Amino acid sequence: MRPGADDASGPLPAQAADGGRHDPSRGPQGKIAIVIFGAAVRPDGRPSGTLECRVRSAVAFASGRIPDPIFVPTGGVGLFGPSEASVMRNMLIAAGFPSNRVLSEETGTDTLSSVRAVTRLLRSRSDVRAVYAATSAYHLPRCLLLLRIAGVHARPLAATPSAVTTWGRWYWRLREVPAIPYDAMILTVLRLCGRL
């Protein structure tokens, strides 16, 4: 089950979780990839508040700072279609990014499978020099850990929180407590067995 039953409203500026100390526009040649982890799609096909926050934060982070960013939205079809990745793709194109800069990854059904699929996708490209992971703050530690176990040294990009109750925030935070070690153990075993 994916998070994201909450609503978003108003402008949602992005903020790099490193406090803005790292300037992604400087450094060696190559593209910057922003992996956006999926969240729920509403029954009518619109993005949930959580999904919208993640995309809008990635867009705000990239706009004007990163030349020709590559976006990698992840997520297959959840309870309702279309796929999370395709909904995010449409949002990114509507925000003005060319379709050839959006590499949808639609096979992932959860965080672990999305990380595995994204790792394969990024390994197939020789033009990516840096990777950012865009997701909700509660979800970011797990995504970064799994990407790093998989050999992708992603930097953090936390989405601005959407309107969710205090109970909702604690539910999703507590849900991560067992998920982090469980997913990390599985991914470590898969990497040791050469099955990433």
Side-chain angles (χ1 to χ4, degrees), residues 11-33:
L12 299 169
Q15 178 178 342
D18 62 4
R21 291 185 299 274
H22 180 262
D23 183 354
S25 65
R26 298 179 183 173
Q29 292 298 314
K31 302 295 181 192
I32 291 178

Side-chain angles (χ1 to χ4, degrees), residues 1-3 35 37-39 54 109-116 119 133-150 152 154-156 171-188:
M1 181 178 184
R2 298 235 183 220
V35 178
F37 284 87
R54 293 178 185 185
T109 57
D110 56 22
T111 303
L112 181 59
S113 60
S114 290
V115 166
R116 295 180 69 192
T119 299
T135 189
S136 304
Y138 70 83
H139 192 222
L140 193 55
R142 178 158 52 128
C143 293
L144 289 174
L145 176 62
L146 295 180
L147 284 167
R148 290 170 181 171
I149 290 173
V152 178
R155 295 183 174 100
Y171 170 79
W172 292 112
R173 288 174 187 158
L174 291 172
R175 191 172 178 265
E176 291 296 298
V177 173
I180 290 172
Y182 180 79
D183 282 359
M185 178 186 68
I186 291 175
L187 195 61
T188 300

Side-chain angles (χ1 to χ4, degrees), residues 2 34-42 45-48 51-52 54-55 71-94 99 101-110 113-114 117-118 121:
R2 298 235 183 220
I34 301 173
V35 178
I36 312 172
F37 284 87
V41 172
R42 296 185 188 283
R46 293 184 302 119
S48 62
L51 188 65
E52 187 173 352
R54 293 178 185 185
V55 173
F71 292 96
V72 186
T74 71
V77 177
L79 292 176
F80 308 104
S83 71
E84 297 164 8
S86 67
V87 170
M88 289 190 279
R89 176 184 176 81
N90 292 338
M91 292 175 69
L92 291 164
I93 292 171
S99 59
R101 293 288 176 200
V102 183
L103 309 177
S104 300
E105 203 309 295
E106 300 187 66
T107 66
T109 57
D110 56 22
S113 60
S114 290
V118 164
L121 188 153

